[in-house]
Amino acid sequence: MNRLLEVCVDSLASARAAIAGGADRLELCSALAIGGLTPYTALLEQLRAESAIPVRCLMRPRAGDFCYAPEEIDLMARQIQALRTAGADGFVIGCLTPEGELDGRAMAPLLEAAKGAGLTLHRCVDVSRDPLKTCLDAAALGIDTVLTSGAAGSCSQGLDTIRAMLELDGPEILIGAGVSAGVISRFRKELPQARAFHMSGKRDIPSAMIFRREGVPMGIPGFDEWHTQQTDEAAVKAAKAALA
């Protein structure tokens, strides 16, 4: 049975670490600190200059919910076209109706723009009304993978729902949120059919700034602006070993 370790990255440094650690595929995004947004096309171009590793790009125009306005749908469709040209192999998408159902009508332009590419339903599944139904609805739209924590704060908390998802005749279940080598080992023991995992494996990198003016936030007050997060090659290697 083929196994998959996908690593979510938002910088070239993180992509390099994930590749060196043995990642099978990357999810490329920006702004991981707020859950991930659509990546810059130039970042994908930088990555493609160094590696042919499979890359799926997250399509998320803003933080918050997954109920999008028409102009946001149009923006994502345009971004998909640009990212395909830059070398994306697939896309990570998802839209919900106000009632919490998968919104096939809103997703139609995205599916058309991504036609022929690999498709993952992102964690909108975890805040949908019925995650199991959402998995099946995603399959009906031609989506091959569902990224999920099992509708919980972490995949460990959502294990029972993930078990039910794995029993569906539906898309591949990509287990994410809190994934580490230890979590993979636990899942492989309790759910032997689990074969695909998604992680970021982040570690804090202190700022190079020596002079630091405190009390002048650039964004959310209280946000730590003196550290960035970067994928840890050792964490990816350990996860890959646990999966193997």
Side-chain angles (χ1 to χ4, degrees):
M1 179 176 66
N2 293 330
R3 295 171 188 172
L4 174 73
L5 180 64
E6 179 180 88
V7 180
C8 187
V9 301
D10 63 357
S11 68
L12 186 59
S14 284
R16 287 169 173 163
I19 293 166
D24 300 301
R25 187 171 76 201
L26 302 181
E27 181 193 285
L28 190 65
C29 66
S30 64
L32 258 178
I34 56 171
L37 301 177
T38 302
Y40 304 108
T41 302
L43 175 58
L44 178 57
E45 291 171 341
Q46 284 184 310
L47 174 55
R48 277 290 172 248
E50 297 188 6
S51 176
I53 188 171
V55 174
R56 294 193 177 187
C57 292
L58 175 64
M59 306 313 301
R60 189 178 181 222
R62 56 164 171 76
D65 63 45
F66 303 103
C67 185
Y68 294 116
E71 62 269 22
E72 292 174 319
I73 299 294
D74 180 64
L75 173 62
M76 287 189 282
R78 291 170 183 261
Q79 290 172 318
I80 287 172
Q81 293 169 348
L83 289 163
R84 288 195 79 164
T85 300
D89 300 291
F91 298 93
V92 184
I93 65 175
C95 306
L96 296 177
T97 68
E99 295 75 29
E101 304 287 339
L102 196 63
D103 192 342
R105 177 176 295 182
M107 290 172 62
L110 310 184
L111 295 168
E112 180 61 28
K115 193 172 182 179
L119 290 171
T120 300
L121 182 71
H122 56 48
R123 290 190 59 210
C124 70
V125 65
D126 293 324
V127 292
S128 66
R129 181 180 296 275
D130 184 341
L132 298 183
K133 180 179 180 295
T134 301
C135 284
L136 296 176
D137 290 344
L141 292 175
I143 292 171
D144 59 73
T145 302
V146 171
L147 170 61
T148 183
S149 65
S154 71
C155 62
S156 294
Q157 295 170 321
L159 188 146
D160 288 339
T161 299
I162 291 171
R163 177 184 286 110
M165 290 177 168
L166 288 166
E167 292 172 353
L168 295 172
D169 183 16
E172 177 167 74
I173 300 303
L174 179 62
I175 299 165
V179 168
S180 64
V183 168
I184 291 174
S185 295
R186 178 193 172 198
F187 268 79
R188 294 291 296 151
K189 181 177 180 180
E190 297 193 29
L191 298 177
Q193 67 273 45
R195 60 162 297 277
F197 292 86
H198 169 101
M199 69 181 299
S200 59
K202 300 184 296 289
R203 62 187 177 99
D204 284 339
I205 306 293
S207 169
M209 289 292 296
I210 297 172
F211 173 75
R212 300 184 178 188
R213 186 181 301 281
E214 303 292 346
V216 187
M218 295 294 108
I220 301 171
F223 188 82
D224 181 1
E225 292 169 341
W226 305 115
H227 289 82
T228 57
Q229 291 187 319
Q230 183 177 308
T231 298
D232 183 2
E233 178 183 337
V236 178
K237 282 183 176 178
K240 187 66 178 288
L243 186 56

